[in-house]
Amino acid sequence: MQKVLIVEDSRTTARFMAHNLKEQLGLAHDCAENRKTALTLLDTDASQYFLALCDLNLPDAPNGEIVSEILARNIPVVVVSANFDEDIYKRLMLQGVTDYIVKRTPDDMMYLMRVVRRLRANSGVEALIVDDSNLWCMQVSELLKRQRIMAYTANNGIQAMRLLREHPGIRIVLADHYMPGMDGIELTAAIRKTHTMDELSIIVISVGTDAGARFLRSGANDYVFKTSSFEELLCRISMNLDIQDLIRNNRALAERDALTNLLVRRQFFTVAQEAVAEARKKRTPLCAAMIDVDYFKQVNDRYGHLAGDIALRQLGAMLREEFPAPYICGRYGGEEFCVVAPGMDKKDFAHKLENFRTTVSSKPVQIGALSIVISVSIGMAELRANDLETLISAADAQLYTAKREGRDRFVWQP
């Protein structure tokens, strides 16, 4: 787990930051009261820190000397100071700091936590800058690098569309208004043919026209004048990424079971029905398995529902590990689960299911010093009709046979 390095000579402020990092964000941290301690921690293992929160006035570095030493180790720095000085701010931004936050009130600290949350979430985020000015592309690329965002650049719309195809993980596009060959409005419209607004945000940047409404109608998420400050641009980028994250999290809550992180029944049926249709169309094999925890009611009655939840959470993790995509795993209901195996030979799938059954019984659920052994019964069937319901019913019938024959069994018809 990566940590945050707090460089702060005020123990009260350091404890407050450390508490909020842990309680709000679940982040580990190390504290250094002076430059010497900070450098010792960095020399031991600088790679463990993804971010440093630095005071400028330390006993052995009263003029912010520690900032450049941390930046030299490629660790982003957010300066947290008791005072704001315009000249110092400009100097620090030229040095390459990520942000400069004044620590005067609790609200300032809450804002700091939002900045840290965004910086952590930015790991792996990709952006595309589209502008015919190489200088502008270079400046914004450097700005995004400080935010832990990987940036690609294009000088026109044609290059931009090619890069979007080559890098499907791009989440935000910063597009100029006036460009040769394809202007910003045409580029925005072209992007929206393949990328929805909730999966990719487009921020149009212009020298200053009244075309904002045209861009928004074409599918842009935001519109910024080039005369705006880089700070405003970063705020808008962060806001759009936050909205994307919120939509993704809400979608995940709607599609995945909160306890096991497997597909909920409704979403499982949606995805599995598509797999059935594809299998029928391409005449490829498709099997399904029903999995049920044996005597699960006794686990709840004897050890409590918290123990039952922990057992289901562990089983969900084991299912995700043993049956990753293209397998389709869902929580069918209660302690019952379903796995669909598109394109897999039924004998190979049967072998994996039997291995899974034995693995479950060999890995007791640990709750403190308590060790609870659980087992599962499994039934498997092969697609023979045209619909998912018939396939699952056939697998469920085999599951019933496994339970009738004593549980902790895997039953299928070769």
Side-chain angles (χ1 to χ4, degrees):
M1 175 189 294
Q2 285 194 313
K3 300 179 181 179
V4 174
L5 176 61
I6 301 172
V7 186
E8 172 63 65
D9 63 336
S10 166
R11 294 187 178 182
T12 300
T13 302
R15 282 197 296 267
F16 186 50
M17 285 194 286
H19 173 78
N20 282 281
L21 288 171
K22 179 181 178 182
E23 296 301 319
Q24 292 190 38
L25 307 179
L27 284 171
H29 65 275
D30 285 328
C31 290
E33 294 183 353
N34 50 52
R35 171 181 174 272
K36 181 180 178 181
T37 304
L39 293 180
T40 299
L41 289 168
L42 292 169
D43 290 339
T44 300
D45 183 11
S47 64
Q48 65 182 315
Y49 303 112
F50 80 90
L51 177 66
L53 307 179
C54 292
D55 187 15
L56 291 178
N57 188 5
L58 301 174
D60 54 352
N63 298 308
E65 295 88 343
I66 188 64
V67 170
S68 59
E69 293 174 300
I70 296 175
L71 289 172
R73 291 166 168 82
N74 294 317
I75 300 173
V77 173
V78 172
V79 171
V80 186
S81 177
N83 301 294
F84 180 81
D85 183 286
E86 185 71 29
D87 292 334
I88 293 176
Y89 170 76
K90 291 178 179 178
R91 173 171 60 83
L92 290 170
M93 295 308 290
L94 288 174
Q95 279 185 252
V97 300
T98 298
D99 209 336
Y100 184 120
I101 297 174
V102 179
K103 53 179 181 183
R104 291 174 180 165
T105 69
D107 288 341
D108 295 327
M109 284 297 172
M110 295 304 101
Y111 174 71
L112 173 62
M113 291 304 112
R114 293 202 300 273
V115 170
V116 175
R117 181 186 289 110
R118 184 68 261 160
L119 288 170
R120 179 178 62 171
N122 283 348
S123 177
V125 171
E126 297 177 327
L128 174 60
I129 305 164
V130 191
D131 198 296
D132 55 347
S133 167
N134 290 328
L135 177 60
W136 175 264
C137 288
M138 182 180 67
Q139 289 175 325
V140 178
S141 292
E142 176 59 30
L143 199 68
L144 294 181
K145 180 182 177 182
R146 300 181 194 180
Q147 303 296 317
R148 307 182 77 218
I149 296 175
M150 170 66 184
Y152 304 98
T153 61
N155 293 127
N156 55 60
I158 304 300
Q159 291 179 12
M161 295 305 296
R162 175 177 57 80
L163 285 168
L164 284 172
R165 290 191 295 270
E166 294 175 356
H167 303 281
I170 289 174
R171 289 179 55 186
I172 195 155
V173 174
L174 307 175
D176 189 18
H177 184 173
Y178 298 106
M179 294 180 292
M182 178 186 287
D183 66 20
I185 292 178
E186 293 170 323
L187 175 61
T188 298
I191 292 174
R192 284 294 170 240
K193 292 179 180 179
T194 55
H195 298 76
T196 60
M197 294 184 73
D198 59 332
E199 65 183 9
L200 187 148
S201 298
I202 303 174
I203 301 177
V204 177
I205 304 169
S206 179
V207 293
T209 68
D210 296 325
R214 293 176 60 201
F215 279 110
L216 295 174
R217 291 193 189 104
S218 299
N221 299 73
D222 210 342
Y223 182 81
V224 184
F225 292 125
K226 239 176 189 176
T227 52
S228 301
S229 66
F230 281 139
E231 186 176 6
E232 179 181 349
L233 178 60
L234 283 178
C235 287
R236 291 178 182 271
I237 291 171
S238 295
M239 179 186 68
N240 276 275
L241 290 174
D242 285 342
I243 292 172
Q244 282 187 28
D245 289 343
L246 180 63
I247 292 171
R248 292 182 180 200
N249 290 338
N250 287 341
R251 182 178 293 132
L253 289 173
E255 295 179 353
R256 293 199 170 267
D257 173 57
L259 187 62
T260 64
N261 201 28
L262 299 174
L263 295 175
V264 297
R265 181 167 175 158
R266 174 183 55 79
Q267 185 65 17
F268 168 79
F269 266 89
T270 298
V271 178
Q273 283 171 342
E274 293 174 357
V276 168
E278 188 74 7
R280 301 301 299 181
K281 178 181 177 181
K282 295 184 177 179
R283 300 180 182 273
T284 53
L286 186 137
C287 297
M290 293 295 295
I291 302 172
D292 190 80
V293 182
D294 297 325
Y295 302 111
F296 186 70
K297 186 177 184 302
Q298 294 182 15
V299 174
N300 281 331
D301 292 344
R302 184 173 180 181
Y303 302 106
H305 287 278
L306 177 60
D309 287 349
I310 293 173
L312 292 177
R313 189 178 296 117
Q314 176 172 306
L315 188 62
M318 294 173 69
L319 281 165
R320 296 196 309 274
E321 181 179 354
E322 185 66 28
F323 302 101
Y327 293 100
I328 304 165
C329 298
R331 186 176 180 189
Y332 202 73
E335 68 274 19
E336 199 168 30
F337 304 86
C338 189
V339 181
V340 170
M344 172 163 279
D345 178 79
K346 60 182 179 182
K347 292 183 179 179
D348 293 336
F349 187 39
H351 180 68
K352 284 181 69 70
L353 289 168
E354 175 59 21
N355 284 344
F356 179 75
R357 182 191 66 80
T358 58
T359 299
V360 170
S361 57
S362 66
K363 287 188 176 181
V365 178
Q366 296 296 140
I367 306 174
L370 184 63
S371 182
I372 305 173
V373 177
I374 64 171
S375 65
V376 294
S377 298
I378 305 175
M380 187 191 95
E382 183 182 12
L383 179 66
R384 300 185 186 280
N386 289 325
D387 61 282
L388 177 63
E389 289 78 5
T390 301
L391 172 63
I392 291 177
S393 295
D396 201 41
Q398 299 301 312
L399 172 63
Y400 179 78
T401 300
K403 287 183 167 293
R404 189 179 59 212
E405 292 180 355
R407 292 180 168 80
D408 195 14
R409 280 171 167 73
F410 167 55
V411 176
W412 69 295
Q413 290 183 340

